[in-house]
Amino acid sequence: MNRLIKLILIFIAYGLSLSATAQRQVAVYVSGDQEEAIKKVLGSKMVTYITNTDGFTAIERTVDFLNAMQAEQDYQTSGEVSNTQIVKLGQQFGARYVAVVDVSELFGELFVSARLIDVQTATIESSFESSSQATSMSALTDLANKVADGLILGPKRKAEAKAREERERKAAEEQARINKQRLAEENRRAQLRAQAINNLMPANAINVNGKIMINKVFPAQFSIGEDNKVKVEYNLPPGFTVADATFLSQLANQNILRYMPKGYYVVVDWQPHPISDYSKFKYGSMEGDWYISSYFKLETSDNVSSLRNRSRMVTTKKRGGRLQIEVSRDVYAIAVRDFFTESEIQAEMNRISSRY
């Protein structure tokens, strides 16, 4: 049984192969007012070209077909063979297409007009025309090849070009769709990122040169510690530190400090320390002047003095046996931190996305 099925499949495949071959068979018929030798050479060269063209072949009984066409032409009083009769003869000789070629002389050149008739549909599949002086065999061969190529492969190239254009159009549409989708995703992610940064940003905070700054000052809070030393606190938000001198210089250049109160702005988180001059400071009782190193002095709205190394900020004195702060200057700190890391931003983006 299996062997029988295999044989049946082989016969079917063979039949399909023969059918496909028959559909590509082309018969060539040349007419016109030129001498028979030119028409014969032109037709022969076209047959050769078609035979060497992938997917096409000339009918085996070419001579018989030409004789039948000639006999039909001789029979017609007009000297021309109708498309109906051409289709009939093409079917009779097993051709799928008939190339009807007319050659004439015009202005000293051979003018060739050809049309390819589909025998099955009785319609003209394609047409092509060309001219040449054809003063030699090679010139006549080139003319025949050009006509055969335009007639047989022209529609194929046109169909391939159309198919290529359609593929390119679809590819362009797909790429446009992908780009639109990508842009929408980038916009969505950009909006989500902006929302995440906005959520992470503390109150009264601004982004200055890639640093997060609290847009207000933190006054120094001086106190006396258990060791009778002056301590200072600024109560900065968690994760924030005192702005350094470079950042304060940038603020001054951008006129951001003009809104800040006048006074001293520390640039390092140092504790006050007493002067080392024993004549001016009582180390036994810890009374005297206390200093803070490295600060800016904001004097006017647009004038920030250069970085100072040391200045007296606090004066202590004992009263009632207890060390107290007698005098203190206005000392401020500006709180900054590095901008949010990508992991911080991504974590907030994930948190926002999880709510939807």
Side-chain angles (χ1 to χ4, degrees):
M1 181 64 68
N2 291 337
R3 184 177 179 185
L4 178 60
I5 293 174
K6 289 181 179 179
L7 288 174
I8 293 173
L9 292 175
I10 291 173
F11 284 130
I12 291 174
Y14 180 72
L16 291 175
S17 175
L18 290 178
S19 175
T21 302
Q23 289 180 351
R24 300 189 187 98
Q25 287 186 331
V26 182
V28 179
Y29 170 63
V30 182
S31 63
D33 58 6
Q34 295 301 296
E35 57 184 271
E36 291 300 321
I38 292 179
K39 293 190 289 186
K40 183 177 181 180
V41 170
L42 189 67
S44 177
K45 295 299 182 183
M46 288 186 64
V47 167
T48 301
Y49 189 92
I50 293 171
T51 303
N52 293 330
T53 299
D54 185 29
F56 294 91
T57 183
I59 62 172
E60 296 180 0
R61 299 168 60 193
T62 301
V63 176
D64 294 339
F65 176 80
L66 291 176
N67 291 335
M69 289 291 290
Q70 187 62 46
E72 187 65 27
Q73 183 182 22
D74 292 341
Y75 175 78
Q76 300 291 334
T77 57
S78 63
E80 296 181 355
V81 182
S82 66
N83 285 356
T84 303
Q85 194 61 30
I86 290 173
V87 168
K88 181 178 178 181
L89 289 174
Q91 293 173 344
Q92 179 182 338
F93 284 89
R96 169 62 191 274
Y97 301 102
V98 176
V100 181
V101 184
D102 182 79
V103 56
S104 58
E105 186 174 352
L106 185 65
F107 302 120
E109 293 185 344
L110 286 182
F111 175 75
V112 179
S113 175
R115 64 186 190 276
L116 186 67
I117 299 175
D118 187 332
V119 171
Q120 290 186 355
T121 62
T123 59
I124 297 177
E125 183 77 11
S126 65
S127 61
F128 189 82
E129 57 185 31
S130 183
S131 61
S132 173
Q133 290 186 349
T135 56
S136 64
M137 179 61 73
S138 61
L140 187 59
T141 300
D142 292 341
L143 180 60
N145 292 343
K146 185 177 181 180
V147 173
D149 181 85
L151 196 64
I152 301 298
L153 296 182
K156 181 180 179 181
R157 281 193 291 266
K158 185 180 293 185
E160 290 174 349
K162 185 176 181 181
R164 183 170 58 254
E165 290 176 359
E166 181 65 14
R167 289 194 301 270
E168 292 174 353
R169 184 188 65 80
K170 290 183 178 180
E173 288 180 351
E174 177 64 15
Q175 188 60 49
R177 186 192 66 80
I178 293 173
N179 291 342
K180 184 178 180 180
Q181 185 177 8
R182 182 185 296 119
L183 181 60
E185 175 61 24
E186 289 175 354
N187 290 338
R188 187 197 69 81
R189 184 170 178 81
Q191 293 173 359
L192 184 61
R193 179 184 175 86
Q195 183 179 352
I197 292 174
N198 184 66
N199 291 353
L200 292 172
M201 192 72 71
N204 299 319
I206 58 175
N207 184 0
V208 180
N209 301 328
K211 293 278 189 179
I212 299 174
M213 166 188 163
I214 303 297
N215 195 22
K216 68 175 185 177
V217 296
F218 292 84
Q221 298 176 3
F222 296 105
S223 63
I224 304 296
E226 295 180 357
D227 55 359
N228 281 336
K229 290 184 178 181
V230 176
K231 293 185 176 181
V232 61
E233 293 179 341
Y234 303 102
N235 293 326
L236 304 182
F240 283 80
T241 60
V242 175
D244 60 20
T246 301
F247 187 78
L248 275 165
S249 297
Q250 294 172 350
L251 294 182
N253 293 333
Q254 298 176 25
N255 290 325
I256 295 178
L257 288 178
R258 67 181 181 272
Y259 302 109
M260 303 300 184
K262 310 305 177 287
Y264 297 88
Y265 286 78
V266 293
V267 294
V268 288
D269 192 12
W270 284 0
Q271 291 295 319
H273 52 280
I275 189 172
S276 59
D277 189 343
Y278 287 90
S279 64
K280 296 183 179 180
F281 189 85
K282 299 177 182 179
Y283 277 87
S285 62
M286 305 298 283
E287 294 178 280
D289 295 332
W290 295 73
Y291 291 79
I292 291 181
S293 299
S294 300
Y295 65 91
F296 273 106
K297 184 180 180 182
L298 183 60
E299 297 175 334
T300 62
S301 61
D302 57 356
N303 182 15
V304 179
S305 66
S306 61
L307 182 66
R308 306 292 182 84
N309 290 326
R310 189 177 67 175
S311 183
R312 179 171 60 87
M313 298 295 179
V314 177
T315 299
T316 57
K317 190 174 181 62
K318 266 192 174 182
R319 293 185 181 277
R322 293 187 60 185
L323 188 66
Q324 297 180 2
I325 295 175
E326 183 77 7
V327 180
S328 65
R329 295 189 179 187
D330 293 332
V331 179
Y332 306 101
I334 293 179
V336 296
R337 59 154 286 174
D338 290 334
F339 197 74
F340 308 113
T341 64
E342 286 302 317
S343 59
E344 289 176 313
I345 297 173
Q346 187 61 53
E348 180 62 17
M349 291 171 65
N350 293 341
R351 188 190 70 81
I352 296 172
S353 299
S354 65
R355 296 184 305 178
Y356 299 102

